[in-house]
């Protein structure tokens, strides 16, 4: 297996999903991850390592997220052994957006299965057929949004500034419910600079006149258009304009134009409890008439002692420590190859 600090030549031509791309590796640096590129005849993976690079803690805090496409489970076993040698205590394979794919992904019984859920819409249908599946209140919101706002691609520094202002407002709302939502501007800058021109990602901004009201970030593969991040205004005078509904409808039509057959509205937590913090999101996405699908990922505890330390000591404090971690250890200028090399070398020292 080749495990390298820099992407091998032609990497993006061989990946299975944009979360494996060089551009996303650069974006992940802004989140405090350190990327490595793994490949052999049995599979390909982007590895995102995270640890607290302080002498007393670095040996006890290393974890990895892996976006892998495999042809044989031997690839995952070999990769885990490399990560074990780097001191990694826990490996997560995939997430709510994209699980491990390939013919051999389920052949390793040591992996603990993790299941997420997402609503998906069939873009092979016409606009009229899609709208016929949408609940009446959502159809009304779409019509109101289309008459009140204009949705366009995020392309310029001004567009990104407006998007980030909305993201800050959304983050404040989430923190009020004890939900973490930390995405620094450098993360979106890297995606806009590298992934959007390669048609691996799309960013949209909805405005009422010149005022931004909603935004969304999507990953694009050969057949799927997948919702990664969204934001909207807190201004009660603007929320009736239904910017998010106009943005999602615009994204659906853009996805079809890009040749995608599946529109993935992103992770949901199925619940009938109105007091649940995720209930409103679940009900909103359900109202678009998509089918609820399971997204299968997995995880593996590599070192039980280190994992227990992290679960009992670090994880409970993570929501409060995460912003500080990003300020101290996130790469404020991800994107240049030297940035990845330097980050990986610091990690491997």
């Amino acid at each position: 297996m080749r495990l390298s600090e820099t992407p091998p030549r032609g990497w993006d031509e061989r990946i299975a999903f944009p979360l494996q791309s060089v551009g996303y590796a650069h974006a992940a640096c802004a989140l405090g991850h350190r990327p490595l590129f793994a490949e052999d005849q049995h599979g390909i993976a982007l590895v995102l390592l995270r640890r607290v690079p302080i002498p007393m803690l670095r040996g006890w805090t290393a974890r990895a997220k892996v976006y892998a496409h495999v042809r044989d489970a031997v690839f995952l076993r070999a990769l885990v052994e490399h990560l074990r040698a780097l001191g990694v205590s826990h490996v997560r394979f995939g997430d709510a957006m994209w699980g491990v794919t390939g013919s051999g992904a389920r052949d390793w019984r040591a992996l603990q299965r993790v299941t997420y859920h997402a609503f998906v819409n069939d873009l092979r249908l016409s606009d009229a057929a899609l709208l016929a599946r949408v609940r009446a209140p959502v159809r009304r919101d779409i019509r109101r949004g289309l008459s009140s706002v204009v949705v366009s691609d995020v392309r310029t520094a001004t567009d990104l500034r407006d998007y980030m202002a909305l993201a800050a407002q959304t983050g404040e709302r989430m923190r009020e419910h004890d939900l973490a939502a930390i995405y620094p501007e450098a993360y979106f800058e890297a995606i806009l600079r590298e992934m959007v021109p390669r048609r691996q990602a799309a960013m949209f901004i909805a405005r009422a006149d010149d005022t931004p009201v909603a935004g969304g970030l999507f990953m694009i593969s050969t057949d799927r258009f997948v919702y990664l991040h969204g934001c909207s205004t807190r201004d009660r005078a603007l929320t009736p304009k239904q910017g998010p509904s106009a943005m999602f409808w615009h994204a659906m039509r853009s996805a079809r134009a890009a040749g995608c057959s599946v529109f993935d509205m992103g992770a949901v937590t199925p619940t009938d409890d109105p007091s649940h913090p995720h209930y409103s999101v679940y009900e909103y996405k359900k109202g678009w008439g998509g089918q609820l699908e399971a997204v299968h990922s997995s995880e593996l505890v590599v070192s039980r002692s280190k994992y227990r330390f992290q679960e009992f000591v670090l994880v409970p404090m993570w929501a409060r420590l995460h912003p500080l971690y990003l300020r101290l250890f996130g790469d404020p200028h991800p994107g240049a190859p030297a940035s990845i090399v330097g980050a990986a070398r610091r990690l491997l020292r």
Side-chain angles (χ1 to χ4, degrees):
M1 173 179 290
R2 297 179 297 277
L3 188 65
S4 60
E5 303 168 0
T6 55
R9 184 182 299 273
W11 176 267
D12 276 10
E13 282 68 46
R14 299 190 296 278
I15 61 174
F17 194 74
L19 292 179
Q20 293 180 307
S21 68
V22 175
Y24 193 75
H26 291 159
C29 289
L31 301 179
H33 292 293
R34 304 306 181 219
L36 294 172
F37 301 85
E39 187 177 18
D40 65 15
Q41 69 272 27
H42 301 298
I44 186 170
L46 174 66
V47 180
L48 301 176
L49 298 175
R50 177 183 273 165
R51 67 170 19 136
V52 179
I54 296 174
M56 295 295 292
L57 292 175
R58 61 182 293 113
W60 284 83
T61 57
R63 289 193 174 195
K65 176 181 282 189
V66 174
Y67 292 116
H69 179 78
V70 303
R71 289 178 284 277
D72 193 303
V74 68
F75 175 81
L76 299 182
R77 295 188 183 95
L79 178 58
V80 166
E81 290 309 308
H82 280 283
L83 297 178
R84 188 195 304 273
L86 294 176
V88 170
S89 62
H90 179 267
V91 183
R92 182 174 291 277
F93 296 95
D95 54 23
M97 287 192 60
W98 186 59
V100 177
T101 59
S103 59
R106 299 187 181 184
D107 295 343
W108 191 11
R109 295 187 177 182
L111 298 180
Q112 180 179 348
R113 308 302 173 188
V114 180
T115 301
Y116 301 95
H117 294 89
F119 282 110
V120 299
N121 297 78
D122 185 355
L123 294 179
R124 293 171 297 183
L125 303 176
S126 66
D127 283 0
L130 278 173
L131 285 171
R133 295 187 174 190
V134 174
R135 290 180 177 178
V138 177
R139 285 201 302 272
R140 184 174 61 248
D141 291 345
I142 293 172
R143 288 194 297 269
R144 186 177 300 159
L146 293 178
S147 67
S148 303
V149 304
V150 174
V151 185
S152 59
D153 291 338
V154 173
R155 294 294 188 191
T156 67
T158 299
D159 294 337
L160 184 59
R161 182 194 64 209
D162 288 345
Y163 189 100
M164 290 305 304
L166 293 172
Q169 295 180 49
T170 302
E172 290 176 5
R173 289 200 303 272
M174 294 182 69
R175 284 189 289 274
E176 289 173 0
H177 296 281
D178 293 325
L179 301 173
I182 304 297
Y183 287 94
E185 186 171 356
Y187 174 80
F188 297 103
E189 285 177 342
I191 290 174
L192 184 61
R193 181 179 61 248
E194 300 188 48
M195 299 184 70
V196 169
R198 296 186 178 107
R199 298 180 63 81
Q200 296 170 331
M203 293 181 71
F204 303 113
I205 187 83
R207 293 186 176 91
D209 296 324
D210 293 327
T211 304
V213 294
L217 169 63
F218 299 82
M219 295 288 106
I220 309 172
S221 68
T222 54
D223 64 336
R224 296 181 79 89
F225 209 86
V226 185
Y227 180 57
L228 188 153
H229 177 268
C231 49
S232 59
T233 182
R234 298 191 77 180
D235 188 336
R236 295 303 179 190
L238 294 172
T239 51
K241 295 183 180 294
Q242 300 299 329
S245 297
M247 186 277 296
F248 270 118
W249 181 246
H250 180 89
M252 279 189 176
R253 302 191 73 193
S254 297
R256 184 195 288 126
C260 297
S261 60
V262 176
F263 186 83
D264 184 331
M265 297 197 73
V268 295
T269 301
T271 177
D272 295 324
D273 180 5
S275 66
H276 193 285
H278 296 155
Y279 175 79
S280 61
V281 173
Y282 173 70
E283 283 296 306
Y284 176 75
K285 293 182 179 180
K286 182 179 179 180
W288 283 79
Q291 180 179 352
L292 188 65
E293 288 190 355
V295 180
H296 299 289
S297 64
S298 55
E299 61 184 6
L300 180 69
V301 176
V302 181
S303 170
R304 294 196 178 277
S305 59
K306 293 179 180 179
Y307 177 73
R308 283 196 293 267
F309 167 78
Q310 294 169 12
E311 289 295 297
F312 286 105
V313 178
L314 294 182
V315 171
M317 299 186 296
W318 184 244
R320 295 180 177 84
L321 293 178
H322 193 200
L324 177 62
Y325 175 87
L326 292 183
R327 286 197 296 271
L328 292 176
F329 307 119
D331 188 342
H333 303 290
S339 172
I340 284 187
V341 175
R345 284 176 178 167
R346 290 195 299 273
L347 174 76
L348 297 172
R349 277 203 297 264

